[in-house]
Amino acid sequence: MAHQQTELELQAAQMIPTADEVAGIFAVQTHDHKKSDAQYAHVMDNLGFGIDFTDYMAHATWTEPEGWHNKVIEPYGPLSLDPGSSVLHYGQEVFEGLKAYRHADGSIWTFRPSYNAVRLNYSSGRLAIPELPVDDFLASIVDLIRMDQRWVPEGEGTSLYLRPFIIASESFLGVRAASRYEYVVIASPSGPYFAHGFQPIDVWVDQKYHRAGPGGMGDAKTGGNYAASLLPKIEAHHHGFDEVMFLDAQTNSNVDELGGMNVFIVMADGSVKTPKLTGNILPGGTRSSIIQFLEDERIAVEEATINIDWLVDGLRSGEVKEVFACGTAAVVTAIGRIAGENFDITIPTGDMTRHVYDELTSIQLGKAEDRFGWLYKISE
Ligand SMILES: Cc1ncc(COP(=O)(O)O)c(C=O)c1O
């Protein structure tokens, strides 16, 4: 059955203002403490992932009854937080991740920023955090990148990674929703997420821990889900694996996702499957894009329950040919080995994984036609 657009996809597909229309909502506070030319050159010549940050950050505050106010682009630097701030105790926070790309002509673009804006609000809803107007989200991105333009790298696999987040900053002890929040966007010039580039990763299928459960926060992008994934990841590292594949908490037998990426499998007949959104899985923008462009290419994509025993049998019999993971940070990454308590299978990287990577990055970098209107121009 063809993909049914999700509520997030439908909302994200609505018309949004252009960058020029929202520019200036965040007032710029210029400063003289920018990184020196030598520091700048060092960062840009040695791009890691999420290690170095730019000269500016976006910041706004929410209080009752003012709502979101004090919208500024200010010098990048430490936040001043009272130790009683409730995010530090109860984890009331949400975040997003998106990238700005420099095209061959020097112009700067982002990819489906409205999807991130809408998903941030979805996550906020689950965490009892006030919504941020989509125009404010877009403006924070536009105004920040325009001040930090020099930090958008050029070259294959590079980008300016943007991390918008909201934290509860009211100082009190007691379990209730806060009455004050900070919205912040920081930016980090980045190379590939995995240091070894387009290399397959080894994945451990965890049957002991879960990152999320029914009625929990699995489909919200909030720190607690990632905190829950750290110990399993450390244990997987000890056994020589790069990432953890989590199974559903209810039956402990169906594939949910990796700690920070969605999963796809490719069948021998060329069709593709991905775990359906159950409420425990983050509805990835990359997942959504891949489903849409593959269907547009007449490749059958099924959102299904993927039983781990069925997957293992399929890999052994050859019915399943490829497994890959996807997300904004890591783009598209082949899974080259998948192992659990009683199986250990090596999977060759196949043509579909490479095709999906090429197709997605070609659209993002303006090398292929933007046939879904996903690119958003920040500056010439
Ligand atoms: C748990 C999890 N799943 C999937 C994804 C992929 O989402 P997206 O493609 O929107 O980056 C991410 C990354 O944001 C994630 O953290």
Side-chain angles (χ1 to χ4, degrees):
M1 195 176 67
H3 172 67
Q4 300 285 314
Q5 294 267 313
T6 63
E7 190 54 38
L8 281 189
E9 287 170 333
L10 291 170
Q11 282 183 34
Q14 286 172 12
M15 277 288 284
I16 52 171
T18 65
D20 281 344
E21 284 166 344
V22 292
I25 291 181
F26 281 66
V28 175
Q29 296 174 358
T30 50
H31 68 108
D32 297 327
H33 310 297
K34 300 190 192 81
K35 296 222 169 56
S36 69
D37 289 348
Q39 287 170 315
Y40 169 78
H42 182 74
V43 170
M44 298 306 260
D45 290 344
N46 301 280
L47 289 171
F49 189 90
I51 298 166
D52 299 292
F53 295 93
T54 60
D55 298 316
Y56 288 93
M57 61 190 198
H59 188 179
T61 298
W62 188 93
T63 50
E64 190 88 85
E66 291 85 358
W68 290 108
H69 62 284
N70 267 355
K71 299 167 195 171
V72 290
I73 303 296
E74 62 189 19
Y76 181 90
L79 293 169
S80 170
L81 278 187
D82 190 286
S85 295
S86 59
V87 65
L88 302 175
H89 307 277
Y90 311 110
Q92 199 191 5
E93 77 96 35
V94 291
F95 68 100
E96 269 304 324
L98 68 164
K99 286 175 170 174
Y101 307 90
R102 193 178 288 282
H103 286 186
D105 65 358
S107 57
I108 300 173
W109 303 71
T110 57
F111 185 72
R112 301 183 75 185
S114 55
Y115 192 90
N116 300 93
V118 170
R119 190 172 63 183
L120 183 73
N121 282 336
Y122 176 80
S123 301
S124 288
R126 180 62 184 84
L127 273 288
I129 292 173
E131 287 196 358
L132 178 75
V134 170
D135 288 12
D136 283 349
F137 181 92
L138 295 171
S140 67
I141 301 293
V142 169
D143 288 331
L144 176 62
I145 298 175
R146 286 186 174 182
M147 288 310 291
D148 272 337
Q149 290 200 27
R150 67 175 182 148
W151 294 102
V152 185
E154 49 182 85
E156 161 118 35
T158 70
S159 61
L160 182 66
Y161 185 78
L162 299 154
R163 167 52 54 83
F165 61 98
I166 302 175
I167 55 172
S169 55
E170 185 193 357
S171 174
F172 70 93
L173 299 180
V175 182
R176 63 161 169 80
S179 64
R180 181 188 168 100
Y181 297 88
E182 312 300 322
Y183 168 66
V184 182
V185 189
I186 55 175
S188 173
S190 296
Y193 182 71
F194 292 114
H196 38 63
F198 196 81
Q199 285 283 317
I201 54 168
D202 295 352
V203 165
W204 174 254
V205 179
D206 204 310
Q207 297 196 285
K208 187 162 82 168
Y209 301 109
H210 299 281
R211 68 181 282 285
M217 309 187 295
D219 62 353
K221 205 161 165 60
T222 180
N225 292 333
Y226 300 83
S229 76
L230 299 179
L231 179 62
K233 191 162 170 170
I234 289 170
E235 292 188 7
H237 276 176
H238 284 155
H239 293 105
F241 293 88
D242 302 298
E243 294 288 331
V244 175
M245 180 180 280
F246 289 99
L247 302 179
D248 76 296
Q250 222 155 3
T251 69
N252 208 24
S253 58
N254 300 321
V255 176
D256 268 354
E257 59 177 328
L258 305 192
M261 283 171 275
N262 294 117
V263 175
F264 280 79
I265 67 173
V266 183
M267 308 299 292
D269 67 5
S271 67
V272 170
K273 296 185 198 293
T274 188
K276 68 176 179 203
L277 300 176
T278 56
N280 299 329
I281 301 175
L282 193 81
T286 317
R287 175 189 182 279
S288 155
S289 305
I290 292 172
I291 292 172
Q292 291 183 59
F293 70 66
L294 288 182
E295 285 197 337
D296 189 56
E297 294 165 10
R298 304 272 181 276
I299 293 169
V301 184
E302 190 191 1
E303 294 169 82
T305 301
I306 299 183
N307 178 276
I308 188 66
D309 295 335
W310 174 86
L311 176 60
V312 169
D313 288 349
L315 285 164
R316 284 191 175 130
S317 71
E319 204 194 340
V320 177
K321 286 285 183 214
E322 303 171 44
V323 185
F324 65 84
C326 66
T328 300
V331 194
V332 172
T333 302
I335 294 180
R337 180 180 167 208
I338 182 166
E341 296 298 343
N342 48 15
F343 59 90
D344 191 341
I345 303 170
T346 302
I347 316 164
T349 303
D351 294 342
M352 181 65 86
T353 304
R354 179 52 86 173
H355 166 72
V356 169
Y357 174 86
D358 287 343
E359 183 70 33
L360 182 66
T361 53
S362 298
I363 297 173
Q364 289 170 336
L365 296 177
K367 293 179 182 166
E369 188 201 343
D370 178 23
R371 55 195 199 276
F372 302 96
W374 286 335
L375 292 182
Y376 187 76
K377 191 172 204 170
I378 302 290
S379 67
E380 291 294 342

